[in-house]
Protein backbone atom coordinates (compact mmCIF):
# COMPACT_ATOMS: atom_id res chain seq x y z
CA UNK A 1 0.00 0.00 0.00
CA UNK A 2 1.36 3.39 -0.96
CA UNK A 3 1.77 5.77 1.97
CA UNK A 4 1.13 9.38 1.11
CA UNK A 5 3.51 11.95 2.53
CA UNK A 6 1.83 14.52 4.77
CA UNK A 7 1.00 17.83 3.15
CA UNK A 8 3.40 20.62 4.07
CA UNK A 9 2.10 22.70 6.95
CA UNK A 10 1.18 26.28 6.09
CA UNK A 11 0.93 28.25 9.35
CA UNK A 12 -1.64 31.03 9.44
CA UNK A 13 -0.64 34.46 10.73
CA UNK A 14 -2.96 37.16 12.05
CA UNK A 15 -1.86 40.80 11.86
CA UNK A 16 -3.59 43.38 14.04
CA UNK A 17 -2.26 46.86 13.34
CA UNK A 18 -2.34 50.01 15.45
CA UNK A 19 -4.92 52.73 15.26
CA UNK A 20 -6.10 53.74 18.73
CA UNK A 21 -9.87 53.51 19.07
CA UNK A 22 -10.07 52.11 15.55
CA UNK A 23 -8.93 48.76 16.97
CA UNK A 24 -12.56 48.14 17.96
CA UNK A 25 -13.16 47.46 14.24
CA UNK A 26 -10.79 44.48 14.53
CA UNK A 27 -12.98 42.92 17.22
CA UNK A 28 -16.03 43.09 14.95
CA UNK A 29 -14.09 41.32 12.21
CA UNK A 30 -12.95 38.65 14.67
CA UNK A 31 -16.55 38.14 15.76
CA UNK A 32 -17.52 37.61 12.12
CA UNK A 33 -14.72 35.06 11.69
CA UNK A 34 -15.75 33.29 14.91
CA UNK A 35 -19.34 33.07 13.63
CA UNK A 36 -18.18 31.55 10.33
CA UNK A 37 -15.84 28.97 11.90
CA UNK A 38 -17.22 25.96 13.80
CA UNK A 39 -18.84 26.98 17.09
CA UNK A 40 -16.26 25.37 19.40
CA UNK A 41 -13.23 26.12 17.22
CA UNK A 42 -9.96 26.86 18.98
CA UNK A 43 -7.78 29.75 17.92
CA UNK A 44 -7.23 29.25 14.16
CA UNK A 45 -4.10 31.42 14.01
CA UNK A 46 -0.67 29.86 14.50
CA UNK A 47 1.00 33.25 14.77
CA UNK A 48 -0.63 36.38 16.19
CA UNK A 49 1.13 39.72 15.69
CA UNK A 50 -0.09 42.92 17.31
CA UNK A 51 1.06 46.52 17.28
CA UNK A 52 -0.14 49.44 19.40
CA UNK A 53 -3.86 48.98 20.19
CA UNK A 54 -3.76 45.85 18.02
CA UNK A 55 -1.24 44.36 20.47
CA UNK A 56 -3.84 44.53 23.23
CA UNK A 57 -6.31 42.56 21.11
CA UNK A 58 -3.57 40.12 20.09
CA UNK A 59 -2.52 39.34 23.67
CA UNK A 60 -6.12 38.80 24.73
CA UNK A 61 -6.72 36.36 21.87
CA UNK A 62 -3.52 34.45 22.68
CA UNK A 63 -4.50 34.12 26.33
CA UNK A 64 -7.83 32.55 25.26
CA UNK A 65 -6.51 30.37 22.45
CA UNK A 66 -8.43 27.32 23.68
CA UNK A 67 -11.62 28.75 22.15
CA UNK A 68 -11.84 31.62 19.69
CA UNK A 69 -15.35 32.68 20.69
CA UNK A 70 -14.33 33.05 24.34
CA UNK A 71 -11.47 35.37 23.47
CA UNK A 72 -13.64 37.41 21.13
CA UNK A 73 -16.43 37.66 23.71
CA UNK A 74 -14.06 39.26 26.23
CA UNK A 75 -12.85 41.78 23.66
CA UNK A 76 -16.44 42.57 22.69
CA UNK A 77 -17.31 43.36 26.28
CA UNK A 78 -14.33 45.66 26.67
CA UNK A 79 -14.62 47.60 23.42
CA UNK A 80 -18.40 48.00 23.31
CA UNK A 81 -18.51 49.31 26.89
CA UNK A 82 -15.38 51.44 26.68
CA UNK A 83 -14.93 54.89 28.22
CA UNK A 84 -11.99 57.24 27.83
CA UNK A 85 -11.36 57.16 31.59
CA UNK A 86 -10.49 53.46 31.20
CA UNK A 87 -7.62 54.49 28.90
CA UNK A 88 -6.33 57.71 30.47
CA UNK A 89 -7.07 60.02 33.36
CA UNK A 90 -9.39 62.77 32.03
CA UNK A 91 -8.02 65.09 34.70
CA UNK A 92 -4.60 64.87 33.04
CA UNK A 93 -5.91 66.32 29.76
CA UNK A 94 -4.66 69.86 30.40
CA UNK A 95 -2.66 69.95 27.19
CA UNK A 96 -1.32 73.45 27.55
CA UNK A 97 -0.20 72.85 31.12
CA UNK A 98 1.37 69.53 30.15
CA UNK A 99 3.28 71.07 27.26
CA UNK A 100 4.55 73.85 29.50
CA UNK A 101 5.70 71.37 32.14
CA UNK A 102 7.77 69.59 29.50
CA UNK A 103 9.17 72.60 27.65
CA UNK A 104 10.03 75.02 30.47
CA UNK A 105 12.70 72.79 32.07
CA UNK A 106 14.35 72.42 28.67
CA UNK A 107 14.33 76.18 28.09
CA UNK A 108 15.90 76.63 31.50
CA UNK A 109 18.55 74.00 30.68
CA UNK A 110 17.34 71.82 33.55
CA UNK A 111 16.86 68.10 33.76
CA UNK A 112 13.21 67.20 33.08
CA UNK A 113 12.07 64.64 35.61
CA UNK A 114 8.37 64.57 34.79
CA UNK A 115 6.39 62.02 32.84
CA UNK A 116 7.26 63.50 29.44
CA UNK A 117 3.71 62.95 28.19
CA UNK A 118 0.47 64.86 27.80
CA UNK A 119 -1.83 62.21 29.28
CA UNK A 120 -1.62 59.74 32.15
CA UNK A 121 -2.56 56.27 30.82
CA UNK A 122 -2.28 54.39 34.12
CA UNK A 123 -5.99 53.41 33.88
CA UNK A 124 -5.13 51.41 30.75
CA UNK A 125 -2.46 49.49 32.67
CA UNK A 126 -4.99 48.68 35.39
CA UNK A 127 -7.53 47.49 32.79
CA UNK A 128 -5.05 45.22 31.02
CA UNK A 129 -3.81 43.84 34.33
CA UNK A 130 -7.38 42.73 35.09
CA UNK A 131 -8.24 41.09 31.79
CA UNK A 132 -5.06 39.49 30.37
CA UNK A 133 -3.57 36.37 31.92
CA UNK A 134 -0.01 36.21 30.61
CA UNK A 135 0.89 32.74 32.02
CA UNK A 136 -1.80 31.24 29.79
CA UNK A 137 0.09 32.34 26.67
CA UNK A 138 3.04 30.03 27.28
CA UNK A 139 0.67 27.25 28.33
CA UNK A 140 -1.16 27.53 25.01
CA UNK A 141 2.17 27.49 23.15
CA UNK A 142 3.25 24.36 25.03
CA UNK A 143 0.09 22.40 24.16
CA UNK A 144 0.12 23.43 20.50
CA UNK A 145 -2.71 25.95 20.38
CA UNK A 146 -0.30 28.71 19.35
CA UNK A 147 3.11 28.93 17.71
CA UNK A 148 3.95 32.52 18.59
CA UNK A 149 2.64 35.86 19.81
CA UNK A 150 4.50 39.06 18.99
CA UNK A 151 4.17 42.61 20.29
CA UNK A 152 6.02 45.38 18.44
CA UNK A 153 7.39 48.56 20.03
CA UNK A 154 9.82 51.30 18.98
CA UNK A 155 13.13 51.80 20.80
CA UNK A 156 13.74 55.51 21.40
CA UNK A 157 17.51 55.17 21.76
CA UNK A 158 18.12 53.29 18.49
CA UNK A 159 15.02 54.00 16.40
CA UNK A 160 14.62 50.26 15.79
CA UNK A 161 11.26 48.56 15.48
CA UNK A 162 11.50 45.71 17.99
CA UNK A 163 9.15 42.73 17.76
CA UNK A 164 9.16 41.01 21.14
CA UNK A 165 7.92 37.46 20.59
CA UNK A 166 7.08 34.44 22.72
CA UNK A 167 6.87 31.17 20.84
CA UNK A 168 7.77 27.56 20.24
CA UNK A 169 11.33 26.27 20.40
CA UNK A 170 13.31 26.67 17.21
CA UNK A 171 12.27 30.21 16.38
CA UNK A 172 15.29 32.42 15.88
CA UNK A 173 15.80 36.12 16.55
CA UNK A 174 16.22 38.18 13.41
CA UNK A 175 17.54 41.50 12.25
CA UNK A 176 16.56 43.53 9.21
CA UNK A 177 16.62 47.18 8.11
CA UNK A 178 15.50 49.14 11.19
CA UNK A 179 13.72 46.12 12.67
CA UNK A 180 14.66 43.20 14.90
CA UNK A 181 12.92 40.23 16.51
CA UNK A 182 13.73 39.40 20.12
CA UNK A 183 12.51 36.36 22.05
CA UNK A 184 10.96 37.51 25.34
CA UNK A 185 8.54 36.54 28.05
CA UNK A 186 5.77 38.99 27.21
CA UNK A 187 4.35 41.12 29.99
CA UNK A 188 2.18 44.11 30.72
CA UNK A 189 5.16 46.40 30.08
CA UNK A 190 5.40 45.18 26.48
CA UNK A 191 1.74 46.03 25.84
CA UNK A 192 2.05 49.44 27.46
CA UNK A 193 5.18 50.18 25.45
CA UNK A 194 3.62 49.10 22.17
CA UNK A 195 0.62 51.40 22.73
CA UNK A 196 2.53 54.40 24.14
CA UNK A 197 1.76 57.06 21.53
CA UNK A 198 4.76 59.46 21.56
CA UNK A 199 4.18 62.68 23.53
CA UNK A 200 0.59 61.63 24.27
CA UNK A 201 1.45 58.67 26.55
CA UNK A 202 4.67 58.12 28.54
CA UNK A 203 7.47 55.89 27.31
CA UNK A 204 7.95 52.52 29.00
CA UNK A 205 11.25 51.07 30.18
CA UNK A 206 12.04 47.48 29.21
CA UNK A 207 15.51 46.35 30.19
CA UNK A 208 17.90 49.24 29.70
CA UNK A 209 15.90 51.03 26.98
CA UNK A 210 12.75 53.10 26.70
CA UNK A 211 10.09 52.20 24.16
CA UNK A 212 7.11 53.87 22.55
CA UNK A 213 4.31 53.00 20.15
CA UNK A 214 5.29 50.19 17.80
CA UNK A 215 3.57 51.68 14.77
CA UNK A 216 5.97 54.62 14.55
CA UNK A 217 8.88 52.80 12.87
CA UNK A 218 7.13 49.62 11.72
CA UNK A 219 7.73 49.95 7.99
CA UNK A 220 6.90 46.30 7.16
CA UNK A 221 4.15 45.01 9.49
CA UNK A 222 3.90 41.65 7.71
CA UNK A 223 7.61 40.84 8.13
CA UNK A 224 7.21 39.78 11.78
CA UNK A 225 4.59 37.15 10.92
CA UNK A 226 6.74 35.86 8.07
CA UNK A 227 9.84 35.61 10.29
CA UNK A 228 7.79 33.63 12.81
CA UNK A 229 6.80 31.13 10.13
CA UNK A 230 3.49 32.32 8.67
CA UNK A 231 2.78 31.20 5.10
CA UNK A 232 -0.75 32.53 4.99
CA UNK A 233 -1.67 35.93 6.42
CA UNK A 234 -4.98 37.43 7.47
CA UNK A 235 -4.55 41.16 8.04
CA UNK A 236 -7.22 43.33 9.61
CA UNK A 237 -6.63 46.92 8.57
CA UNK A 238 -8.19 50.02 10.08
CA UNK A 239 -7.61 52.75 7.52
CA UNK A 240 -10.86 52.87 5.57
CA UNK A 241 -8.96 54.48 2.69
CA UNK A 242 -10.13 51.96 0.12
CA UNK A 243 -13.40 53.88 -0.34
CA UNK A 244 -11.71 57.20 -1.03
CA UNK A 245 -10.48 58.46 -4.39
CA UNK A 246 -7.22 60.47 -4.55
CA UNK A 247 -7.75 64.19 -3.92
CA UNK A 248 -11.46 63.55 -3.43
CA UNK A 249 -11.91 66.30 -0.83
CA UNK A 250 -11.36 69.95 -1.56
CA UNK A 251 -9.71 72.25 0.97
CA UNK A 252 -9.75 75.99 0.50
CA UNK A 253 -7.97 76.97 3.75
CA UNK A 254 -4.58 76.18 5.19
CA UNK A 255 -4.73 73.09 7.48
CA UNK A 256 -5.02 73.64 11.21
CA UNK A 257 -2.59 72.22 13.74
CA UNK A 258 -4.90 69.36 14.74
CA UNK A 259 -5.43 68.41 11.10
CA UNK A 260 -1.67 68.31 10.54
CA UNK A 261 -1.22 66.20 13.69
CA UNK A 262 -3.96 63.84 12.53
CA UNK A 263 -2.27 63.52 9.14
CA UNK A 264 1.05 62.60 10.81
CA UNK A 265 -0.61 60.05 13.09
CA UNK A 266 -2.55 58.58 10.18
CA UNK A 267 0.71 58.00 8.30
CA UNK A 268 2.34 56.42 11.34
CA UNK A 269 -0.48 54.24 12.58
CA UNK A 270 -2.57 53.36 9.58
CA UNK A 271 -0.98 53.58 6.15
CA UNK A 272 2.07 51.28 6.58
CA UNK A 273 0.04 48.05 6.59
CA UNK A 274 -1.70 48.97 3.34
CA UNK A 275 1.64 49.73 1.68
CA UNK A 276 3.22 46.51 2.96
CA UNK A 277 0.34 44.36 1.73
CA UNK A 278 0.56 46.00 -1.67
CA UNK A 279 4.27 45.11 -1.80
CA UNK A 280 3.50 41.46 -0.94
CA UNK A 281 0.87 41.32 -3.69
CA UNK A 282 3.46 42.53 -6.19
CA UNK A 283 5.92 39.90 -4.92
CA UNK A 284 3.29 37.18 -5.30
CA UNK A 285 2.73 38.26 -8.90
CA UNK A 286 6.44 38.30 -9.76
CA UNK A 287 7.79 35.22 -7.93
CA UNK A 288 6.21 32.54 -10.18
CA UNK A 289 8.14 34.03 -13.11
CA UNK A 290 11.55 33.95 -11.39
CA UNK A 291 13.44 30.65 -11.96
CA UNK A 292 14.80 28.85 -8.90
CA UNK A 293 18.33 29.14 -10.33
CA UNK A 294 17.98 32.92 -10.45
CA UNK A 295 16.67 33.01 -6.90
CA UNK A 296 19.63 30.95 -5.65
CA UNK A 297 22.08 33.14 -7.53
CA UNK A 298 20.82 36.25 -5.76
CA UNK A 299 20.26 34.64 -2.35
CA UNK A 300 16.47 34.76 -2.68
CA UNK A 301 15.70 31.04 -2.45
CA UNK A 302 13.88 31.62 0.85
CA UNK A 303 11.23 33.76 -0.83
CA UNK A 304 7.84 32.20 -1.40
CA UNK A 305 4.33 33.25 -2.30
CA UNK A 306 2.20 34.32 0.66
CA UNK A 307 -1.54 33.79 0.62
CA UNK A 308 -3.19 37.01 1.76
CA UNK A 309 -6.63 37.93 3.02
CA UNK A 310 -7.20 41.55 3.98
CA UNK A 311 -10.32 42.83 5.69
CA UNK A 312 -10.53 46.62 6.09
CA UNK A 313 -13.27 49.16 6.71
CA UNK A 314 -15.85 49.67 3.97
CA UNK A 315 -16.65 53.15 5.29
CA UNK A 316 -14.53 56.23 5.95
CA UNK A 317 -13.68 56.09 9.66
CA UNK A 318 -12.77 59.78 9.83
CA UNK A 319 -16.33 60.73 8.87
CA UNK A 320 -17.82 58.22 11.30
CA UNK A 321 -15.77 59.70 14.13
CA UNK A 322 -17.14 63.17 13.47
CA UNK A 323 -20.67 61.82 13.90
CA UNK A 324 -19.74 60.89 17.48
CA UNK A 325 -17.88 64.10 18.36
CA UNK A 326 -20.25 64.81 21.28
CA UNK A 327 -18.81 61.76 23.07
CA UNK A 328 -15.36 63.36 23.29
CA UNK A 329 -14.48 64.17 26.93
CA UNK A 330 -14.82 67.87 27.68
CA UNK A 331 -11.14 68.39 28.62
CA UNK A 332 -10.11 67.23 25.13
CA UNK A 333 -12.98 69.04 23.40
CA UNK A 334 -11.29 72.30 24.40
CA UNK A 335 -8.48 71.52 21.98
CA UNK A 336 -10.13 69.34 19.32
CA UNK A 337 -12.97 71.13 17.54
CA UNK A 338 -15.75 69.52 15.42
CA UNK A 339 -14.30 70.87 12.19
CA UNK A 340 -10.72 69.79 12.99
CA UNK A 341 -9.13 66.49 12.05
CA UNK A 342 -11.50 63.51 11.87
CA UNK A 343 -8.38 61.35 11.67
CA UNK A 344 -7.15 62.42 15.10
CA UNK A 345 -10.66 62.09 16.52
CA UNK A 346 -10.99 58.52 15.22
CA UNK A 347 -7.76 57.55 17.00
CA UNK A 348 -8.56 58.93 20.46
CA UNK A 349 -12.37 58.60 20.68
CA UNK A 350 -12.39 55.70 23.18
CA UNK A 351 -16.12 55.95 23.81
CA UNK A 352 -18.97 53.47 23.72
CA UNK A 353 -20.97 54.86 20.80
CA UNK A 354 -18.08 55.21 18.37
CA UNK A 355 -16.36 51.95 19.35
CA UNK A 356 -19.64 50.03 19.13
CA UNK A 357 -20.25 51.48 15.67
CA UNK A 358 -16.82 50.34 14.51
CA UNK A 359 -17.43 46.91 16.01
CA UNK A 360 -20.68 46.57 14.05
CA UNK A 361 -18.94 47.75 10.87
CA UNK A 362 -16.19 45.15 11.33
CA UNK A 363 -18.75 42.41 11.85
CA UNK A 364 -20.65 43.40 8.71
CA UNK A 365 -17.46 43.62 6.62
CA UNK A 366 -16.35 40.15 7.76
CA UNK A 367 -19.70 38.56 6.97
CA UNK A 368 -19.61 40.25 3.58
CA UNK A 369 -16.39 38.32 2.93
CA UNK A 370 -17.68 34.98 4.19
CA UNK A 371 -16.79 33.19 0.95
CA UNK A 372 -13.19 34.43 1.06
CA UNK A 373 -12.89 33.58 4.77
CA UNK A 374 -14.15 30.03 4.21
CA UNK A 375 -11.70 29.59 1.35
CA UNK A 376 -8.83 30.99 3.45
CA UNK A 377 -9.52 28.56 6.33
CA UNK A 378 -10.18 25.65 3.96
CA UNK A 379 -13.75 25.22 5.21
Amino acid sequence: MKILAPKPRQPVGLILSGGGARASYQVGVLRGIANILPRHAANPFNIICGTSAGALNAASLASHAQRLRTGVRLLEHIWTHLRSEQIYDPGSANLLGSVSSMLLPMLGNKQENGRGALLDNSPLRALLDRVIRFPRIQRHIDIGLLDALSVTASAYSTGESVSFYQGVKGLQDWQGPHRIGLRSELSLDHLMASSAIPIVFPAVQIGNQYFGDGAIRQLAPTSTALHLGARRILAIGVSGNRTKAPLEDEQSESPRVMQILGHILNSAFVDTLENDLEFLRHMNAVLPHVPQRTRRKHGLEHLHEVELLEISPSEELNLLAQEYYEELPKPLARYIKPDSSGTLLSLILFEQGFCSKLYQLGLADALEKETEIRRFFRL
Side-chain angles (χ1 to χ4, degrees):
M1 181 177 66
K2 183 177 181 181
I3 300 177
L4 298 177
K7 294 182 179 179
R9 183 168 176 261
Q10 291 198 322
V12 177
L14 173 66
I15 296 178
L16 300 174
S17 60
R22 296 184 185 199
S24 55
Y25 174 85
Q26 298 171 350
V27 182
V29 173
L30 290 168
R31 164 51 65 189
I33 293 172
N35 287 351
I36 293 169
L37 293 177
R39 184 174 184 84
H40 296 285
N43 161 54
F45 306 104
N46 305 93
I47 296 115
I48 303 178
C49 302
T51 302
S52 191
L56 315 184
N57 290 339
S60 182
L61 280 183
S63 65
H64 292 87
Q66 75 282 1
R67 191 178 181 202
L68 178 62
R69 291 195 179 200
T70 301
V72 172
R73 191 179 301 117
L74 174 63
L75 289 172
E76 284 173 332
H77 179 77
I78 294 172
W79 283 98
T80 59
H81 294 82
L82 197 61
R83 294 284 189 274
S84 292
E85 55 261 31
Q86 294 175 278
I87 306 299
Y88 60 85
D89 177 7
S92 68
N94 181 0
L95 302 191
L96 295 179
S98 299
V99 170
S100 298
S101 67
M102 289 189 292
L103 291 180
L104 290 178
M106 290 188 292
L107 294 175
N109 197 29
K110 297 178 181 179
Q111 180 68 32
E112 197 273 305
N113 294 317
R115 296 177 57 84
L118 300 178
L119 298 174
D120 173 13
N121 63 344
S122 56
L124 174 60
R125 176 180 282 272
L127 172 65
L128 296 176
D129 191 40
R130 290 195 303 271
V131 301
I132 297 180
R133 300 292 179 261
F134 288 95
R136 292 182 181 176
I137 296 173
Q138 186 59 50
R139 197 152 60 237
H140 293 156
I141 292 171
D142 293 339
I143 64 178
L145 291 174
L146 186 69
D147 286 355
L149 168 69
S150 78
V151 171
T152 299
S154 296
Y156 280 117
S157 60
T158 64
E160 298 281 358
S161 175
V162 182
S163 292
F164 299 98
Y165 70 90
Q166 189 168 342
V168 296
K169 294 180 180 179
L171 294 175
Q172 300 293 321
D173 292 355
W174 67 88
Q175 185 167 357
H178 305 294
R179 56 183 183 268
I180 63 174
L182 186 64
R183 183 183 287 274
S184 309
E185 182 177 348
L186 296 177
S187 68
L188 191 53
D189 283 341
H190 293 95
L191 297 187
M192 295 300 295
S194 181
S195 57
I197 301 173
I199 302 299
V200 178
F201 294 141
V204 177
Q205 185 175 10
I206 299 175
N208 60 358
Q209 294 192 51
Y210 279 88
F211 293 85
D213 199 294
I216 298 302
R217 291 297 297 270
Q218 192 178 29
L219 303 179
T222 62
S223 67
T224 298
L226 296 175
H227 277 293
L228 292 173
R231 294 299 175 262
R232 293 185 286 148
I233 289 178
L234 192 156
I236 305 179
V238 293
S239 78
N241 288 337
R242 63 174 171 151
T243 62
K244 191 166 186 171
L247 301 181
E248 182 179 89
D249 295 337
E250 295 182 0
Q251 183 168 347
S252 57
E253 298 180 354
S254 177
R256 299 183 180 184
V257 172
M258 287 301 179
Q259 184 179 1
I260 294 173
L261 178 58
H263 176 73
I264 294 172
L265 291 175
N266 198 64
S267 299
F269 293 106
V270 176
D271 294 338
T272 52
L273 178 60
E274 285 186 343
N275 296 336
D276 198 26
L277 291 174
E278 186 65 18
F279 173 77
L280 276 183
R281 291 189 186 98
H282 289 316
M283 288 293 295
N284 283 342
V286 170
L287 278 176
H289 305 287
V290 180
Q292 286 292 336
R293 184 174 60 181
T294 303
R295 296 190 199 183
R296 288 193 295 271
K297 178 180 178 181
H298 296 280
L300 302 176
E301 61 272 13
H302 64 285
L303 293 181
H304 51 81
E305 293 181 60
V306 179
E307 183 178 349
L308 296 175
L309 175 58
E310 178 191 5
I311 303 177
S312 57
S314 57
E315 297 184 29
E316 183 61 53
L317 301 192
N318 299 350
L319 299 180
L320 283 179
Q322 291 175 335
E323 295 178 11
Y324 291 87
Y325 176 81
E326 294 303 321
E327 291 191 326
L328 188 66
K330 293 299 186 288
L332 284 177
R334 287 184 293 171
Y335 307 98
I336 302 175
K337 301 305 178 183
D339 57 347
S340 62
S341 173
T343 297
L344 179 59
L345 190 62
S346 71
L347 295 173
I348 65 171
L349 195 55
F350 296 98
E351 295 293 338
Q352 184 176 8
F354 179 58
C355 291
S356 295
K357 175 64 177 179
L358 294 191
Y359 165 83
Q360 293 295 336
L361 178 63
L363 174 58
D365 287 347
L367 296 179
E368 184 70 22
K369 288 201 169 188
E370 180 173 356
T371 300
E372 292 96 319
I373 291 172
R374 288 185 175 278
R375 184 184 305 120
F376 183 83
F377 287 108
R378 315 294 195 250
L379 297 179

